[in-house]
Amino acid sequence: MNFKNIPKHIAIIMDGNGRWAKKRNLHRIQGHVEGIKSLKAVVKAIIEYKIKYLTVYAFSSENWSRPPEEVDSLMSLLSEYIRIELPYLIKNEIRLNFIGNIDKIPENSKKSLLEAVNKTKNFERLRLTLALSYGSKEEILNAASKIAEDFKKNKIDIEEGAGISGELFSSYLYTAGMPEPDFLIRTSGEKRLSNFMLYQIAYTEIYFTGTLWPDFRRKNLNAALKNYEKRIRRFGKTEV
Ligand code: IPE
Ligand code: IPE
Ligand code: MG
């Protein structure tokens, strides 16, 4: 596939696994299992298209309130995904990382995650970021608290009147060092952000599709990217 202009950073809210399963009289977890196949297909296409950053919302800070069986299954799926995919990530020079507060993630899942992050840290072909136990409000509050602490400890200087710069603030977010997303895709027909990257998507192009995440494969990604091609990003300026 050839695209006239392609985003450098794509973020995806992978939603609709439960509904996909329900439609087929399957257990919700089957929807999550099928959703992993979509993630694999999308990662594969994204490497081919030479997109440098992919950030996927895998588990929100609010998702901890789901029934414990579902949370447990999602956590097991996470470590399984990482274990199975690690050789693929290494072979394809994909750097895995995560954003979110992983304190609550069970030890074994956390261990495989951190191991994979460490083993892939020098790769630059694609940065695949998993948003795990991620909440944007928490991220912003955490950044503000850390800035206040560092200021008190004289680790940073904030000039009176100038305030905190966007650059400084961004460096305290989980996404420090990453460019902001150019394109955000949400599947399943919901038109909301569900506490995802609220600060980072100020000027991101947004694409909502009714396709459920387990049905979202390469052809759906292509359709989304074709739609992105037509977008005119003005950033507040007049059109040139
Ligand atoms: C997205 O699918 C995956 C997670 C939030 C972990 P859902 O599980 O939210 O599926 P629906 O929205 O209930 O269909
Ligand atoms: C958002 O989906 C989180 C993820 C996709 C991981 P949810 O299914 O949790 O969002 P709501 O509850 O419908 O807003
Ligand atoms: Mg959902």
Side-chain angles (χ1 to χ4, degrees):
M1 256 334 246
N2 271 322
F3 302 99
K4 281 201 286 295
N5 55 322
I6 197 125
K8 184 177 176 191
H9 183 178
I10 300 186
I12 307 181
I13 302 176
M14 310 183 290
D15 196 15
N17 297 352
R19 277 164 283 169
W20 182 92
K22 196 171 178 208
K23 261 174 46 183
R24 288 163 178 78
N25 266 323
L26 297 169
H27 197 275
R28 289 180 60 86
I29 200 69
Q30 289 306 121
H32 299 312
V33 170
E34 197 63 25
I36 289 183
K37 295 187 194 159
S38 296
L39 178 59
K40 289 183 187 171
V42 165
V43 168
K44 192 160 182 269
I46 273 180
I47 307 176
E48 284 172 31
Y49 302 158
K50 300 191 168 57
I51 291 166
K52 286 282 177 196
Y53 295 85
L54 172 65
T55 302
V56 293
Y57 205 4
F59 193 87
S60 75
S61 45
E62 288 76 24
N63 289 149
W64 290 112
S65 314
R66 293 192 177 194
E69 312 82 71
E70 179 163 348
V71 171
D72 287 352
S73 307
L74 282 166
M75 292 301 139
S76 315
L77 276 179
L78 167 69
S79 36
E80 202 181 303
Y81 167 75
I82 292 170
R83 189 175 52 77
I84 295 172
E85 287 304 286
L86 188 57
Y88 175 85
L89 298 179
I90 294 173
K91 188 162 163 249
N92 289 283
E93 299 176 8
I94 300 171
R95 175 176 173 187
L96 183 79
N97 71 304
F98 67 88
I99 52 173
N101 173 7
I102 61 162
D103 291 353
K104 282 203 259 174
I105 305 260
E107 276 314 312
N108 56 337
S109 305
K110 199 158 43 185
K111 197 165 157 256
S112 37
L113 172 69
L114 294 175
E115 241 169 58
V117 167
N118 190 41
K119 282 191 174 142
T120 60
K121 66 172 188 279
N122 294 321
F123 295 139
E124 287 179 359
R125 191 160 167 216
L126 165 69
R127 169 114 59 120
L128 171 61
T129 302
L130 307 178
L132 282 173
S133 190
Y134 174 88
S136 186
K137 283 191 170 181
E138 195 179 286
E139 176 185 35
I140 292 167
L141 293 172
N142 175 60
S145 310
K146 285 218 168 103
I147 290 173
E149 270 171 39
D150 284 355
F151 180 69
K152 248 167 82 183
K153 290 183 194 152
N154 282 322
K155 282 195 192 161
I156 50 170
D157 190 29
I158 299 167
E159 253 181 77
E160 218 177 310
I164 298 168
S165 68
E167 205 185 329
L168 180 80
F169 195 76
S170 296
S171 74
Y172 279 81
L173 294 171
Y174 298 139
T175 49
M178 281 163 65
E180 290 174 349
D182 302 293
F183 197 34
L184 170 69
I185 298 171
R186 182 172 188 149
T187 59
S188 92
E190 308 298 357
K191 292 179 186 66
R192 55 176 170 262
L193 298 171
S194 303
N195 206 7
F196 189 54
M197 295 187 114
L198 304 181
Y199 185 86
Q200 295 89 339
I201 59 165
Y203 263 108
T204 299
E205 296 296 325
I206 304 184
Y207 179 83
F208 294 111
T209 169
T211 305
L212 302 172
W213 177 249
D215 290 325
F216 192 93
R217 298 288 159 98
R218 182 187 287 253
K219 67 174 192 322
N220 309 82
L221 177 70
N222 290 346
L225 289 171
K226 277 283 162 204
N227 186 288
Y228 179 83
E229 256 186 351
K230 294 190 291 222
R231 309 281 181 105
I232 298 159
R233 304 185 73 188
R234 279 185 286 272
F235 299 99
K237 298 174 190 142
T238 49
E239 210 171 309
V240 283

